[in-house]
Amino acid sequence: MKPEELRELYRGGRPNERARAIQRAFMPLARTGLMPWSAVLEVTGRRSGATIALPVVILRVRGAHYLVSMLGPKANWVRNAEAAGGRAVLVRGRRRAVRLVRVHGEAAVPVLRRYLLIARSGRVHLDVTRESSDAELRSAAQRYPVLRVDRDPAPPQGSVGQ
């Protein structure tokens, strides 16, 4: 798919029907943990209270795991995770209760750099490139949240196992 076609999938910052169909087709593979750099993130809807699942690119950088919001801080999954105090479930072969913690500044630079190398379909939404300077990537972290994936030390009652 060409970059302009990929951008059209999320015109206005929301997935269109074709993007949702691609996500639905991709999720069973992402759940297995067999596909590198993929997982399914489950967040609780801040208004509906329903579990919302979506495929994500998960990056390992310097021993920690991270997610990047290619659509910025107003992406529904980011807002839902924030409303839940960062609590979510990550499915990659097994289900894990996690806490998503936003990182800023220098800590976000290597994560964004890795994301730009790996996430071909995601990077077309960012206004930085693989050639961007560290200063440009630090600035971009304000526009594209970088979230560290930590184990949730106190998952809610009835939550998934660690």
Side-chain angles (χ1 to χ4, degrees):
M1 206 177 280
K2 296 178 183 173
E4 55 275 358
E5 293 172 317
L6 291 169
R7 277 189 288 277
E8 284 298 314
L9 294 174
Y10 294 91
R11 187 179 202 83
R14 308 240 355 179
N16 65 21
E17 186 52 44
R18 184 171 181 209
R20 287 190 296 273
I22 292 168
Q23 288 178 349
R24 283 190 300 273
F26 184 70
M27 280 207 298
L29 293 171
R31 281 183 197 282
T32 66
L34 298 175
M35 292 188 64
W37 308 302
S38 67
V40 171
L41 180 69
E42 295 178 354
V43 293
T44 301
R46 63 191 179 283
R47 290 187 210 138
S48 68
T51 298
I52 299 163
L54 66 148
V56 291
V57 171
I58 185 164
L59 307 162
R60 187 170 177 87
V61 177
R62 298 180 181 162
H65 288 96
Y66 296 89
L67 304 178
V68 173
S69 174
M70 69 181 188
L71 299 177
K74 292 185 178 180
N76 273 329
W77 72 266
V78 174
R79 293 171 67 197
N80 289 334
E82 287 172 348
R87 285 197 164 137
V89 172
L90 196 64
V91 185
R92 187 166 191 231
R94 63 186 173 102
R95 299 170 57 83
R96 290 184 299 141
V98 298
R99 180 77 51 106
L100 302 177
V101 179
R102 185 134 180 214
V103 298
H104 300 277
E106 201 60 40
V109 171
V111 179
L112 284 172
R113 196 165 298 288
R114 183 119 171 104
Y115 184 82
L116 289 164
L117 287 172
I118 292 170
R120 180 184 171 271
S121 62
R123 70 177 167 234
V124 301
H125 300 283
L126 279 64
D127 60 8
V128 288
T129 69
R130 292 179 279 188
E131 291 77 32
S132 294
S133 69
D134 285 0
E136 291 168 320
L137 293 176
R138 270 192 301 281
S139 175
Q142 299 304 312
R143 297 184 303 281
Y144 308 104
V146 174
L147 300 128
R148 189 181 63 242
V149 179
D150 293 342
R151 289 184 81 162
D152 192 342
Q157 282 289 63
S159 181
V160 296
Q162 299 267 342

